[in-house]
Amino acid sequence: MTLASTVNAKAIELGKHVITMTTKAGSGHPSSGLSLAHIVIMLMEKRMRYDPKNPSNPASDRLVLSEGHAVPIVYAVYADVGGVAGKDPSQLKKVTLDDLNDLRELDSVLDGHPNPAEGFPFFDAATGSLGQGLSVAAGLALAARLRGTDRRIFTIIGDGESREGQIWEAADFIVDRKLTNVCAIFNCNGQGQADVVSHQQSAEVLTAKLKAFGWKVRAIDGHDVKAIGSALNLVGKGGQPVAIVAKTVKGWGTASLQGKGNHGKPLKESEVPGALADLDAMYDKLGVPRGSSGGLRIHKPKGEVPPLPSGEIRLPSFDEAMAEAGLADAVAKNKLATRRAFGAALLALGKADERVVSLDGDVSNSTFAEYFAKKLPDRFFECKIAEQNMISAAAGLAAAGYIPFASSFAKFLSRGYDQIEMANITRANIKIVGSHAGVSLAADGPSQMGLVDVTYFRSFGTADDGRGRPACVSFQPADAVAAYHLTGLMANVTGMCYMRTHRPDVALLYDKNASFEVGGSSVLRQGDALTIVSSGYMISVVLKATEALAGEGIQCTVVDAYSLPMNAQPVLAAGAKTGGKILTVEDNYGGGLGGAVAEAAAITGKCTVQIMTCKRIPKSGNSPEDVLSLVGLTAGDIAARVKDILK
Amino acid sequence: MTLASTVNAKAIELGKHVITMTTKAGSGHPSSGLSLAHIVIMLMEKRMRYDPKNPSNPASDRLVLSEGHAVPIVYAVYADVGGVAGKDPSQLKKVTLDDLNDLRELDSVLDGHPNPAEGFPFFDAATGSLGQGLSVAAGLALAARLRGTDRRIFTIIGDGESREGQIWEAADFIVDRKLTNVCAIFNCNGQGQADVVSHQQSAEVLTAKLKAFGWKVRAIDGHDVKAIGSALNLVGKGGQPVAIVAKTVKGWGTASLQGKGNHGKPLKESEVPGALADLDAMYDKLGVPRGSSGGLRIHKPKGEVPPLPSGEIRLPSFDEAMAEAGLADAVAKNKLATRRAFGAALLALGKADERVVSLDGDVSNSTFAEYFAKKLPDRFFECKIAEQNMISAAAGLAAAGYIPFASSFAKFLSRGYDQIEMANITRANIKIVGSHAGVSLAADGPSQMGLVDVTYFRSFGTADDGRGRPACVSFQPADAVAAYHLTGLMANVTGMCYMRTHRPDVALLYDKNASFEVGGSSVLRQGDALTIVSSGYMISVVLKATEALAGEGIQCTVVDAYSLPMNAQPVLAAGAKTGGKILTVEDNYGGGLGGAVAEAAAITGKCTVQIMTCKRIPKSGNSPEDVLSLVGLTAGDIAARVKDILK
């Protein structure tokens, strides 16, 4: 039997499962799956080197299905090869053809879109929000290079999907980094959801674009087994990454799923027999003998990859790390920005453990990831001005066991919020650090200020990740000591973390050996009049306010609530000691820290909470104080509000 | 005097202002400004047709400075031509060379990055978060075409900035739409912030990319006046959009600002004289006579553009609009998804007023923007799978007086959150509609569900836009009637609005003539035991719960809080009538509706608030009920929680 016959026969047989499983589920994208039948079979049953019984082997080739909605064909092929899956990684079992009928059920590992966290370890990343897979592949390839393995990373991208700008960020990044083990396969079936795909995403224009971006391009018929095979053979062999631009037929083999209006629509029960008959007719049309779908052999990965370290990463002392980063003078002067202390901590972590890697978007001299970049260049990845790619590449690195810190301005990270949510669904162990947050940035104006970040990341933290942990943990250090230890904490907490740092230098508030914990807070000042809860840069402003108030005989408690979600009990206990009066202060829009305190307090109503946030869209101003005055957050504003509450 | 001499002399003289104004401000990006001196002068003093005394004339050519940090050179040239600016649009006055020294001051209109909302009407959009300007230009060009004017839109993009994927989304969109009046100028100075610009963003590779994307490309020396002039002359004359790839020198004319490490750094006071002397020396180097900087004439825009309509847009009756959209049957059956009613309302608005335009990202048959698309194709803009470009293009349309509705899945809109924030800073009058929100989407899984949207958009609404309005108003309709009227309300409210719609059909709850208002809420059910506050799809689940509870003798009040920020008074008043007990229910992560109610209640502590949100990252499930059970939000969960509170 020829390879072509076998693959065609499999395309027919597994294509039938794509149809029946989506009809059974009552939703899904059979037409997309059918367009990829030959390509996926050639990958998963012929060219990819992996062990279906141990897909997570770090030497294995990987597939990132960027076009996530086409996943039924992958599920069908995975069942065909006896691939294993399961919620409990220690108890994986074979996915059977019968299991396919549970597609999209609540207790199935076969989610509507690729979702490794729900028990499908063949994938490294949740996909389905389009345009992200090539960046994940890039991250996996960076990790493979660090680990010294020649695993190849295949990505399948829809033609319509290739309109997403992130694809082109990834295309640049992969060329920049010479990640020639990445292969991008473009599925040009010409049909989008609402309409046909633009000429700009046609096979011809895609080919021209990819060449201009520096890729080796092979344009093929995506149902031609031989052409697929020889194009895939190019991967990893030349000095360029390989792109395969494959013309395909959406709804291949079945008239009822072809043409416009057939995106994301399963067939009705009544239509299924006709569609299956259409596919059966393909045996004769293609001259393929029935029953020829057996007999492919999957090549196992070659070689062993030494394990990465495990366990807790220990930081040196604060002073030691600051000295190493050249910050001893700043410490001595008692003026040190939280962003610099983050940089020093990142360097210390990187020196302590090879799992720690750093990604930054052309602002490492502002975020101070540059301390790491200069000393550990092999594990620093300059992502240039392309934050979407940076986040998804970090997710790829995390999937391969690394602990990536992705840093940029807090504002610019919002460019990657969709990618961050996808990484959150993946339960990617990534650490996101946003600098220049809040209005203290001042002169650069609102286009550079992180103003919704606290609220955005806190929101994820209200949900559980399905493993008993908050889906995201956020930190906001008030001084360099806190920034240092919280960076260390981030590295050691499993799951997504966000830290917010600030531009201005601030005084050191904490003992250098102070300890910090997830959900923690610290009482910085005790009083009896009112409790002020704040964090980050605003702590220094709050302390100015409380000093002034103390001069008038008003003693306030100040709580630094540096972690969200917070353990509210000590915060409310502090409030209870000040007559139940709490004021929260933060230099961002609402729904963040104040929201968290109010939500906790409102459960019983025993404490009252007044909230001060940035009351107006900011603009440029010469100094933090100028802009704080515009948005109602100066020390004077805070003191006035305290007095108003105490009236 | 030759044109070249005049422009060179102006580059020298205005370049000095770039240096002195940034040094005076103590921050800013003089080196970037200097690299653009010749190009900006040739645009603003020679090629652009506009009236510096009336820059907002809709016939005028426009400049979008995508590379926002280079703005000092634009300010300097604007002062040179006597352009007007001011916080109060009715009292604009000339920007003087003296005014340049107020750069970045709190009371200056010369913000750190382009910021038209703070009084600089030469610009249409806040920029500074990179990669967005070309999309804004596309939106302005769409508007120009609708208005029948041949205004040209020039955009300046940094080389490093062109790594942002959105640039390439815009490049596709502009070719798709044949927006040949758009000109993209790439400023290839080779220096990024942290490092040199990648070869992938070199003039050579950019030229190849732009050609592959279908642009007419002219590569020039960006300090060669004649070359700039003749390249700009190509704009609007052929069948392709024109890209000018200009090699420039970052820090042109001054040794101390050239080379690595000079991004975003003003000179120290002590360095200024040397830098100014460097620039003075350019007279001789270029063979330009001193004092030759006068005498350019700016061409006024040609022709009058008829005004757009103004005033309130009136909707027809609910039944009339539903019939027009083919939904009469669904209304009769009392089952109609909010997303369909949105589509019907959008069509009705579009028929009522030519300002209403629609943009969608290849999902118009899911969001139901397709009703508009089919009947009003000239004002429907298919943006394909590129949400970033869609949002910024909408901001461009809004700047030209249109009322754009940009729709996609709520989840996919998060791809444009950075762009949404920039539009928010612009105070763009855009209407954003996210469908398939929350967990009721079910089978498609979390990659397609909007779960942070409520919280994200509410956050903006806690800030004032500087004109006495919330910076963003959000709506979440519980039924088709609400969706219909809220869509109408969005069109008539000035400023950014967000509406969240849902996939499933739901029963009609409201009287078809019910009225809705910004900040409003409705009591749907009266009881004495407890007040449940909810909105959107969850209202139907809450009503199921309260029916079951009523069967057990527990009568709850149900408040539909369909608008955020909410007027909390009636909500708290309802709570007060049920013994101060409030429960909130929403199908998203925390910090949204529950946060808003808790924040309001915690001010006095008179009501207690318990919050139910999506307690776990969702996964696929067959039905909304399945997924609601996973995340703890079924009618049964709600009823159990009510009973627990009442214990």
Side-chain angles (χ1 to χ4, degrees):
Chain A
M1 205 67 63
T2 65
L3 175 65
S5 288
T6 306
V7 174
N8 272 309
K10 278 188 187 286
I12 292 166
E13 293 306 320
L14 298 173
K16 291 180 191 172
H17 285 286
V18 168
I19 289 171
T20 53
M21 72 199 283
T22 49
T23 294
K24 174 75 176 21
S27 66
H29 302 72
S31 60
S32 304
L34 288 165
S35 70
L36 284 171
H38 295 83
I39 289 169
V40 170
I41 292 163
M42 280 297 290
L43 279 168
M44 293 177 63
E45 304 215 13
K46 186 75 190 165
R47 285 286 178 264
M48 282 175 69
R49 299 186 300 248
Y50 74 113
D51 179 357
K53 288 182 196 65
N54 179 22
S56 307
N57 179 338
S60 295
D61 290 348
R62 297 299 273 176
L63 173 61
V64 182
L65 187 67
S66 191
E67 184 183 0
H69 53 265
V71 72
I73 185 65
V74 174
Y75 292 152
V77 178
Y78 201 58
D80 189 49
V81 300
V84 297
K87 299 251 174 199
D88 178 349
S90 69
Q91 301 208 332
L92 302 181
K93 61 187 191 64
K94 275 192 192 176
V95 175
T96 66
L97 290 170
D98 257 7
D99 290 336
L100 298 179
N101 290 317
D102 299 335
L103 173 72
R104 296 182 163 217
E105 301 270 358
L106 196 59
D107 57 1
S108 169
V109 298
L110 308 180
D111 232 46
H113 290 76
N115 196 349
E118 299 293 353
F120 198 76
F122 180 74
F123 289 128
D124 289 292
T127 51
S129 180
L130 295 171
Q132 304 187 20
L134 190 57
S135 302
V136 173
L140 289 165
L142 290 172
R145 180 178 292 164
L146 288 176
R147 301 196 71 181
T149 165
D150 67 347
R151 75 180 343 188
R152 297 164 304 169
I153 323 290
F154 300 93
T155 322
I156 297 175
I157 301 161
D159 49 358
E161 177 186 10
S162 71
R163 185 83 167 219
E164 287 285 7
Q166 186 181 354
I167 295 288
W168 304 99
E169 295 179 4
D172 273 338
F173 183 75
I174 288 165
V175 173
D176 252 0
R177 290 267 154 197
K178 298 191 175 58
L179 298 172
T180 52
N181 276 356
V182 173
C183 172
I185 301 164
F186 290 85
N187 175 25
C188 295
N189 61 37
Q191 296 288 337
Q193 175 179 324
D195 201 349
V196 296
V197 168
S198 161
H199 177 68
Q200 292 292 108
Q201 278 66 48
S202 64
E204 295 69 30
V205 177
L206 275 179
T207 298
K209 288 176 178 177
L210 287 159
K211 285 183 180 168
F213 273 73
W215 287 59
K216 182 179 188 72
V217 188
R218 183 63 63 98
I220 63 166
D221 171 349
H223 303 291
D224 177 338
V225 174
K226 208 171 153 187
I228 299 168
S230 60
L232 290 175
N233 269 341
L234 299 172
V235 179
K237 290 192 181 143
Q240 288 172 292
V242 171
I244 300 172
V245 177
K247 282 197 191 176
T248 64
V249 177
K250 196 154 174 172
W252 178 86
T254 59
S256 50
L257 282 168
Q258 291 175 14
K260 222 182 135 170
N262 277 311
H263 178 91
K265 288 193 184 152
L267 293 174
K268 291 176 201 149
E269 288 275 8
S270 61
E271 298 168 312
V272 170
L276 299 185
D278 279 357
L279 273 168
D280 266 329
M282 293 303 287
Y283 279 111
D284 291 342
K285 278 193 198 157
L286 297 170
V288 173
R290 278 169 172 75
S292 57
S293 67
L296 293 182
R297 193 174 64 84
I298 300 174
H299 294 271
K300 295 271 163 64
K302 289 179 289 187
E304 288 278 312
V305 182
L308 283 169
S310 60
E312 194 188 343
I313 309 175
R314 293 294 192 79
L315 281 178
S317 76
F318 177 78
D319 279 332
E320 212 175 313
M322 295 302 132
E324 176 72 24
L327 298 172
D329 275 5
V331 173
K333 286 182 189 149
N334 195 29
K335 273 190 154 190
L336 188 52
T338 49
R339 59 189 173 125
R340 283 192 188 266
F342 154 71
L346 183 63
L347 171 58
L349 287 168
K351 293 180 89 165
D353 196 302
E354 64 170 295
R355 285 173 294 172
V356 176
V357 298
S358 165
L359 304 93
D360 195 277
D362 195 33
V363 290
S364 60
N365 54 344
S366 289
T367 60
F368 290 106
E370 73 172 4
Y371 300 150
F372 186 106
K374 284 179 180 164
K375 299 261 175 84
L376 300 165
D378 291 349
R379 281 187 274 135
F380 175 75
F381 306 113
E382 173 55 75
C383 296
K384 303 293 180 182
I385 308 174
E387 298 77 10
Q388 302 184 91
N389 177 67
M390 176 174 75
I391 296 294
S392 303
L397 279 154
Y402 286 90
I403 304 174
F405 281 75
S407 50
S408 182
F409 280 37
K411 172 65 172 72
F412 305 154
L413 289 171
S414 69
R415 199 60 155 266
Y417 275 8
D418 189 19
Q419 290 76 12
I420 286 170
E421 186 164 0
M422 294 308 297
N424 198 266
I425 295 168
T426 301
R427 279 69 158 181
N429 185 30
I430 67 172
K431 317 300 166 182
I432 304 162
V433 180
S435 72
H436 297 68
V439 299
S440 59
L441 176 54
D444 278 308
S447 68
Q448 322 285 299
M449 296 172 179
L451 297 166
V452 290
D453 57 328
V454 176
T455 305
Y456 175 81
F457 284 100
R458 173 173 95 83
S459 187
F460 288 104
T462 64
D464 186 277
D465 71 350
R467 294 150 167 76
R469 293 184 297 248
C472 178
V473 176
S474 307
F475 299 110
Q476 185 169 200
D479 80 346
V481 174
Y484 180 70
H485 292 297
L486 290 173
T487 305
L489 190 54
M490 285 171 87
N492 287 308
V493 168
T494 302
M496 180 177 284
C497 298
Y498 175 65
M499 188 167 76
R500 187 179 206 244
T501 66
H502 311 90
R503 186 177 193 285
D505 287 332
V506 288
L508 273 61
L509 299 168
Y510 280 96
D511 179 274
K512 290 171 184 174
N513 300 314
S515 69
F516 296 84
E517 58 190 30
V518 172
S521 56
S522 297
V523 176
L524 297 181
R525 196 183 187 290
Q526 294 268 17
D528 53 9
L530 180 144
T531 296
I532 303 181
V533 184
S534 188
S535 64
Y537 177 77
M538 291 311 292
I539 287 286
S540 60
V541 184
V542 165
L543 290 174
K544 247 188 249 170
T546 53
E547 269 169 48
L549 287 164
E552 301 179 47
I554 301 170
Q555 301 296 342
C556 294
T557 292
V558 176
V559 178
D560 175 16
Y562 56 79
S563 177
L564 291 172
M566 68 168 66
N567 174 5
Q569 193 277 325
V571 176
L572 297 179
K577 286 192 203 158
T578 57
K581 293 187 197 74
I582 297 177
L583 172 67
T584 67
V585 179
E586 59 200 303
D587 60 350
N588 42 264
Y589 297 155
L593 177 61
V597 175
E599 289 173 18
I603 294 172
T604 63
K606 286 181 189 159
C607 288
T608 64
V609 182
Q610 312 269 331
I611 295 173
M612 294 181 81
T613 56
C614 190
K615 72 176 184 187
R616 181 202 192 272
I617 301 175
K619 74 174 290 299
S620 294
N622 242 341
S623 65
E625 289 66 34
D626 274 358
V627 184
L628 287 170
S629 75
L630 178 73
V631 303
L633 288 172
T634 61
D637 293 323
I638 296 166
R641 185 69 171 268
V642 169
K643 288 196 258 184
D644 190 58
I645 296 170
L646 297 178
K647 250 185 218 162
Chain B
M1 205 66 66
T2 65
L3 176 65
S5 289
T6 306
V7 173
N8 271 309
K10 277 187 187 287
I12 293 166
E13 293 307 319
L14 298 174
K16 291 181 191 172
H17 285 287
V18 168
I19 289 171
T20 52
M21 72 200 282
T22 49
T23 295
K24 174 74 174 25
S27 67
H29 301 72
S31 60
S32 304
L34 287 165
S35 70
L36 283 172
H38 295 84
I39 289 169
V40 170
I41 292 163
M42 280 297 291
L43 279 168
M44 291 178 64
E45 304 214 13
K46 186 74 189 166
R47 285 284 179 267
M48 281 175 69
R49 299 186 301 247
Y50 74 113
D51 179 357
K53 291 184 195 65
N54 178 23
S56 307
N57 178 338
S60 294
D61 290 348
R62 298 298 274 175
L63 173 61
V64 182
L65 187 68
S66 191
E67 186 184 359
H69 53 266
V71 72
I73 185 64
V74 174
Y75 292 152
V77 179
Y78 201 57
D80 189 51
V81 300
V84 296
K87 299 249 174 199
D88 178 351
S90 69
Q91 302 208 333
L92 303 181
K93 63 188 191 63
K94 276 190 190 177
V95 175
T96 67
L97 290 170
D98 257 7
D99 290 337
L100 299 179
N101 290 318
D102 300 335
L103 174 72
R104 297 182 162 216
E105 301 270 357
L106 196 59
D107 56 1
S108 168
V109 298
L110 308 180
D111 232 46
H113 290 76
N115 196 348
E118 300 292 353
F120 197 76
F122 180 74
F123 288 129
D124 289 293
T127 52
S129 179
L130 294 171
Q132 304 187 18
L134 191 57
S135 302
V136 173
L140 289 166
L142 290 172
R145 180 179 291 165
L146 288 177
R147 300 194 72 180
T149 165
D150 68 347
R151 75 180 343 187
R152 296 165 305 168
I153 323 289
F154 300 93
T155 321
I156 298 175
I157 302 160
D159 49 358
E161 176 186 10
S162 71
R163 185 82 166 219
E164 288 285 7
Q166 186 181 354
I167 295 287
W168 305 99
E169 295 179 3
D172 274 339
F173 184 75
I174 288 165
V175 172
D176 252 0
R177 291 266 154 197
K178 299 190 175 58
L179 298 173
T180 52
N181 276 355
V182 172
C183 172
I185 302 164
F186 291 85
N187 175 24
C188 296
N189 61 38
Q191 295 288 337
Q193 175 179 323
D195 201 350
V196 296
V197 169
S198 160
H199 178 66
Q200 292 292 108
Q201 279 66 50
S202 64
E204 295 67 32
V205 177
L206 275 179
T207 298
K209 288 176 178 177
L210 286 159
K211 283 182 181 169
F213 273 73
W215 288 59
K216 182 179 190 70
V217 188
R218 183 63 63 98
I220 62 167
D221 172 349
H223 302 290
D224 176 338
V225 174
K226 208 170 151 187
I228 299 168
S230 60
L232 289 174
N233 268 341
L234 298 172
V235 179
K237 290 191 181 143
Q240 288 172 291
V242 171
I244 299 172
V245 178
K247 283 198 192 176
T248 64
V249 178
K250 196 154 173 172
W252 179 85
T254 60
S256 50
L257 283 168
Q258 291 175 15
K260 222 182 136 170
N262 277 310
H263 178 91
K265 288 194 184 152
L267 293 175
K268 291 175 202 151
E269 287 276 8
S270 60
E271 298 169 312
V272 170
L276 299 185
D278 280 357
L279 273 168
D280 265 329
M282 293 302 287
Y283 279 112
D284 291 341
K285 278 194 198 156
L286 297 169
V288 173
R290 280 172 170 73
S292 57
S293 68
L296 293 182
R297 193 173 66 83
I298 300 174
H299 295 271
K300 296 273 162 65
K302 287 180 292 188
E304 288 279 313
V305 181
L308 283 168
S310 61
E312 194 188 345
I313 309 175
R314 293 293 191 79
L315 281 179
S317 76
F318 176 78
D319 280 332
E320 213 176 312
M322 295 303 133
E324 175 73 23
L327 298 172
D329 275 6
V331 174
K333 284 180 190 151
N334 196 28
K335 274 190 155 191
L336 187 52
T338 50
R339 59 188 173 124
R340 283 191 187 267
F342 155 70
L346 183 62
L347 171 60
L349 287 168
K351 293 180 88 164
D353 196 302
E354 66 171 293
R355 285 172 296 173
V356 176
V357 298
S358 165
L359 304 93
D360 196 276
D362 196 34
V363 289
S364 61
N365 54 344
S366 289
T367 61
F368 289 107
E370 72 171 5
Y371 300 151
F372 185 107
K374 283 179 181 165
K375 299 262 175 82
L376 300 165
D378 291 349
R379 281 186 276 135
F380 175 75
F381 306 113
E382 173 55 75
C383 295
K384 302 293 180 184
I385 307 173
E387 298 76 11
Q388 303 184 91
N389 177 67
M390 177 174 75
I391 296 293
S392 302
L397 279 154
Y402 286 90
I403 304 174
F405 281 75
S407 51
S408 183
F409 279 37
K411 171 66 171 71
F412 304 155
L413 289 171
S414 70
R415 199 60 156 267
Y417 275 7
D418 189 18
Q419 290 76 11
I420 286 170
E421 187 165 359
M422 294 308 296
N424 198 266
I425 296 169
T426 300
R427 278 70 158 180
N429 185 30
I430 68 172
K431 317 300 166 182
I432 304 162
V433 179
S435 71
H436 297 68
V439 299
S440 58
L441 176 54
D444 279 307
S447 68
Q448 322 285 300
M449 296 172 179
L451 296 166
V452 290
D453 57 328
V454 175
T455 304
Y456 175 81
F457 284 100
R458 173 173 96 82
S459 188
F460 288 104
T462 65
D464 185 278
D465 70 351
R467 296 150 166 75
R469 292 184 297 249
C472 177
V473 176
S474 307
F475 299 109
Q476 186 171 200
D479 80 345
V481 174
Y484 180 69
H485 292 297
L486 291 173
T487 306
L489 190 54
M490 286 171 86
N492 288 307
V493 167
T494 302
M496 180 178 283
C497 298
Y498 175 66
M499 188 167 76
R500 187 178 206 244
T501 66
H502 312 89
R503 186 176 194 283
D505 288 330
V506 288
L508 273 63
L509 299 169
Y510 280 96
D511 179 274
K512 291 171 184 173
N513 299 314
S515 70
F516 296 84
E517 57 190 28
V518 172
S521 57
S522 297
V523 176
L524 297 180
R525 197 182 185 291
Q526 294 268 18
D528 54 8
L530 180 143
T531 296
I532 303 181
V533 184
S534 188
S535 63
Y537 177 78
M538 291 310 292
I539 287 284
S540 60
V541 184
V542 165
L543 290 174
K544 247 188 247 171
T546 54
E547 267 168 50
L549 288 164
E552 300 179 47
I554 301 169
Q555 302 295 343
C556 295
T557 292
V558 176
V559 178
D560 176 15
Y562 57 78
S563 176
L564 290 172
M566 68 169 65
N567 173 7
Q569 193 278 328
V571 176
L572 298 179
K577 285 190 200 159
T578 57
K581 294 186 196 73
I582 297 177
L583 172 68
T584 67
V585 179
E586 59 200 303
D587 59 351
N588 42 264
Y589 297 154
L593 176 62
V597 175
E599 289 173 19
I603 294 172
T604 63
K606 287 182 189 158
C607 288
T608 63
V609 183
Q610 313 268 331
I611 295 173
M612 295 181 80
T613 55
C614 191
K615 72 176 184 188
R616 180 202 193 272
I617 300 175
K619 72 173 290 299
S620 294
N622 242 340
S623 64
E625 289 66 35
D626 274 358
V627 185
L628 287 170
S629 74
L630 178 73
V631 302
L633 289 172
T634 62
D637 293 323
I638 296 165
R641 185 71 172 266
V642 168
K643 287 195 257 184
D644 189 56
I645 296 170
L646 296 178
K647 251 185 217 160

